[in-house]
Amino acid sequence: MITLRKSLERGHADHGWLKSFHSFSFAEYFDPAHMGFGPLRVINEDRIAPGTGFGTHGHRDMEIISYVLEGELAHRDSIGNGEVIRPGEVQRMSAGRGIRHSEYNHAEQQTTHFLQIWIQPDELGIDPGYEQKAFSAEEKRGRLRLVASPDAVDGSVKLHADARLYIGLFDAGEQAAVTLDPERLAYVHVARGELSVNGQRLRAGDAAQLQAEAALTLAEGRAAEVLVFDLAR
């Protein structure tokens, strides 16, 4: 079964300095029909205005992934990390028993456009942690590149959750066909462009929830950047 979640159906918040779309219930946006999908709890598409950002704040017991699409995001946290996340880089922050951090767009003119993803961990109260890796466009071109997994295989960042995240770029005749475990869940989020997911057309901000499906086909892309989650039920 495939259920579509269209971009315009998402929650939306405009704080002036921050414009955000929420795929699942978050902050002041609440929809009991969209509380998450398996362990996937949050996908926020955020745009941070130049010279602004999230001040220091705390998290607990969540695997948090940041993926920058445009601009840069400066990160600083309470366990000593201070990094800049650039397009193509995947940051994983394990909040564990508690972490505080800030995220800032220091650019004078460019908006930072990024995805903030929360995944519920398998175990609570772990040591907080941080990891950041770059994945080139060539690695994602016309295929799904594993970027986050519980066993950190193929150079992916390590998740403390039964979930895997793949990212791919598709254009023209490029396509990917993937075998799915029908006992698991799959979630497809189109970050940019458009493409067909099992024959159904999705555009930027759209998503597809797959349950009891044995295969996933991505095709007919037009400047498409897509995230695919393999999730426990």
Side-chain angles (χ1 to χ4, degrees):
M1 180 175 70
I2 302 177
T3 303
L4 299 186
R5 171 75 157 150
K6 291 294 187 177
S7 175
L8 293 178
E9 298 171 356
R10 297 179 294 173
H12 181 238
D14 187 343
H15 301 287
W17 65 274
L18 170 68
K19 294 177 173 58
S20 184
F21 286 94
H22 308 309
S23 295
F24 304 106
S25 295
F26 186 87
E28 296 180 2
Y29 168 62
F30 176 75
D31 182 344
H34 296 283
M35 297 299 295
F37 190 63
L40 179 59
R41 179 62 187 83
V42 167
I43 300 181
N44 289 345
E45 181 182 0
D46 292 341
R47 289 176 171 85
I48 303 176
T52 66
F54 299 94
T56 301
H57 59 285
H59 296 283
R60 291 181 62 89
D61 292 323
M62 195 65 68
E63 298 290 283
I64 300 174
I65 296 172
S66 295
Y67 184 66
V68 173
L69 298 167
E70 296 176 353
E72 296 182 350
L73 188 65
H75 165 97
R76 188 171 297 277
D77 63 43
S78 57
I79 58 173
N81 298 293
E83 302 287 347
V84 175
I85 314 168
R86 298 177 174 86
E89 296 181 341
V90 174
Q91 178 211 72
R92 182 269 302 166
M93 185 177 72
S94 297
R97 62 175 179 270
I99 193 169
R100 294 179 62 78
H101 76 137
S102 62
E103 296 164 299
Y104 214 83
N105 174 15
H106 290 296
E108 295 182 358
Q109 297 184 1
Q110 185 172 15
T111 295
T112 295
H113 180 197
F114 80 109
L115 298 177
Q116 180 184 163
I117 299 159
W118 293 9
I119 298 175
Q120 294 173 328
D122 290 335
E123 182 181 353
L124 304 181
I126 65 173
D127 292 339
Y130 182 94
E131 191 177 7
Q132 182 175 328
K133 290 188 177 182
F135 299 90
S136 68
E138 289 74 18
E139 293 178 82
K140 296 174 283 188
R141 172 58 56 196
R143 63 186 289 262
L144 290 175
R145 173 56 159 107
L146 181 67
V147 300
S149 68
D151 44 12
V153 296
D154 296 332
S156 59
V157 301
K158 180 178 176 60
L159 288 176
H160 299 90
D162 190 357
R164 288 170 174 80
L165 170 59
Y166 301 81
I167 301 178
L169 303 172
F170 296 91
D171 213 343
E174 298 168 338
Q175 63 178 359
V178 181
T179 300
L180 300 178
D181 181 347
E183 299 300 316
R184 295 176 63 83
L185 303 172
Y187 190 91
V188 180
H189 178 88
V190 180
R192 289 191 279 209
E194 58 183 271
L195 81 169
S196 293
V197 177
N198 285 15
Q200 302 202 51
R201 198 71 180 167
L202 272 68
R203 293 173 173 80
D206 293 347
Q209 299 178 352
L210 287 77
Q211 303 182 64
E213 292 286 326
L216 169 66
T217 300
L218 306 174
E220 301 174 340
R222 293 183 180 175
E225 185 161 11
V226 61
L227 284 72
V228 176
F229 297 84
D230 170 27
L231 305 160
R233 287 184 176 272

